[in-house]
Amino acid sequence: MHRAAARPSGRRIGDLARTWGAPLALVALLLFNAAVTPNFLTWQTFFVNLTQVATIVIVATGMTLVIATGGIDLSVGSLMAIAGALAPLIFGGSLFGPLDPALGVTLAIVVPILVAGCFGLFNGFLVTSFGIQPIIATLVLFIAGRGIAQVMTNGNLQTFSNPSFQWIGLGRVFGMPVQAVLMLVIVLAVAWMLRATIFGRHVLATGGNEPAARLAGVPVNRVKLAVYAVSGLLSGLAGLIVIAINASSDANLIGLGMELDAIAAVAVGGTLLTGGRATVVGTLLGALIIQLVRYTLLANGVPDAAALVVKAAIILLAVWLQRPGGTAR
């Protein structure tokens, strides 16, 4: 009888941990840093952390949609590399020849994002038309995508100075970094879409029980194609922001390891890795937690290698809380 009473209690604790764990962890980190870390409560520190986490959140937002359908996208880093390699070729005149500066910058933003979106659509095509497991389907572009980017640039580092283009990485809107503004707009738009639109319900239904969703008339294949395309589009945008900040494009390094950072942010944020439940705001919180943990350790003299171990432990804890029955088992 005591065991029967303990299980519901354990489940409640697990549910509370999954619901409130990420916000409470973020608040605890903020309070700890405010008390211990020198110069934490400054606008400079705030903006540094926002700019470092912005591209991860943008990519992780697309990853959240993909995971919500029961899939995964390992190609996001490579798609960032393709977009990042393509943009300097466009505004530099190597691809379309000399262009009007404004037209060149416009095309250098629009075309790479659309190309990355098409590659995302290709991922969805492999998953829906050939029934390939998402981890294998996206592994194709994880490997080939970076190779494509390296072929486009002959493996060379592209350096540039184009203030109009670099505005997306270095500009400010009302004092806020542009990439942070883009991040917040994307998070809010996708969170609204997931919560308030039919498409959002179809995404969750697809991940929750795909056969039942098909029987209920949900266009499962179209939903999957759309989420992989969105993941590609957001990866392309993140790739452009990275090269705009660095004023250079290195196809070997752009987006390297981004797929792992995005998946980690999704897991820590509370999205179910098996699909059917997703929270984009949680993904934002998850990315902020991981970033703040790393910042906290580095600011207090802990080596980066130790920060990686702590990051892995946080991901392990998040996945453990997501298991069926939570802490009740």
Side-chain angles (χ1 to χ4, degrees), residues 69 205-218 220 224:
T69 63
T206 299
N209 189 329
E210 185 174 326
R214 288 185 189 277
L215 289 174
V218 174
V220 170
K224 288 186 176 180

Side-chain angles (χ1 to χ4, degrees), residues 7-278:
R7 283 176 184 168
S9 174
R11 289 195 184 96
R12 280 197 295 274
I13 294 172
D15 290 340
L16 286 173
R18 284 190 291 274
T19 304
W20 296 104
L24 291 176
L26 183 60
V27 170
L29 278 168
L30 291 172
L31 292 176
F32 176 83
N33 279 292
V36 173
T37 305
N39 303 316
F40 179 73
L41 295 176
T42 62
W43 286 112
Q44 184 180 4
T45 302
F46 177 69
F47 288 143
V48 164
N49 281 291
L50 270 188
T51 53
Q52 289 188 352
V53 84
T55 52
I56 296 174
V57 173
I58 290 171
V59 174
T61 300
M63 184 72 78
T64 302
L65 295 179
V66 172
I67 289 178
T69 63
I72 199 160
D73 189 351
L74 297 183
S75 69
V76 289
S78 296
L79 298 189
M80 287 177 64
I82 290 174
L86 199 51
L89 295 177
I90 295 174
F91 64 66
S94 301
L95 198 60
F96 299 135
L99 297 169
D100 174 77
L103 178 62
V105 169
T106 303
L107 290 178
I109 292 174
V110 174
V111 172
I113 291 175
L114 291 179
V115 168
C118 289
F119 278 117
L121 205 58
F122 174 74
N123 284 332
F125 178 72
L126 291 181
V127 172
T128 57
S129 297
F130 294 97
I132 302 174
Q133 288 291 321
I135 194 170
I136 303 299
T138 56
L139 187 63
V140 173
L141 276 178
F142 170 81
I143 298 169
R146 193 166 297 280
I148 293 170
Q150 290 168 339
V151 167
M152 287 193 298
T153 61
N154 292 320
N156 296 325
L157 174 71
Q158 302 181 90
T159 58
F160 55 84
S161 175
N162 188 324
S164 299
F165 174 80
Q166 290 175 264
W167 181 80
I168 62 171
L170 300 175
R172 300 254 170 167
V173 176
F174 301 116
M176 285 274 288
V178 170
Q179 66 265 46
V181 175
L182 288 172
M183 172 190 76
L184 292 174
V185 169
I186 290 168
V187 165
L188 292 175
V190 176
W192 173 81
M193 180 274 296
L194 203 55
R195 188 179 181 86
T197 67
I198 293 174
F199 177 73
R201 287 194 286 275
H202 285 175
V203 168
L204 298 179
T206 299
N209 189 329
E210 185 174 326
R214 288 185 189 277
L215 289 174
V218 174
V220 170
N221 286 353
R222 274 187 286 168
V223 169
K224 288 186 176 180
L225 284 170
V227 296
Y228 281 101
V230 170
S231 180
L233 291 170
L234 294 179
S235 300
L237 174 61
L240 299 186
I241 292 172
V242 169
I243 68 165
I245 294 172
N246 296 327
S248 64
S249 170
D250 186 347
N252 303 303
L253 296 177
I254 301 169
L256 194 63
M258 178 59 81
E259 57 282 341
L260 301 181
D261 287 333
I263 294 169
V266 174
V268 173
T271 291
L272 204 59
L273 294 180
T274 52
R277 191 183 71 198

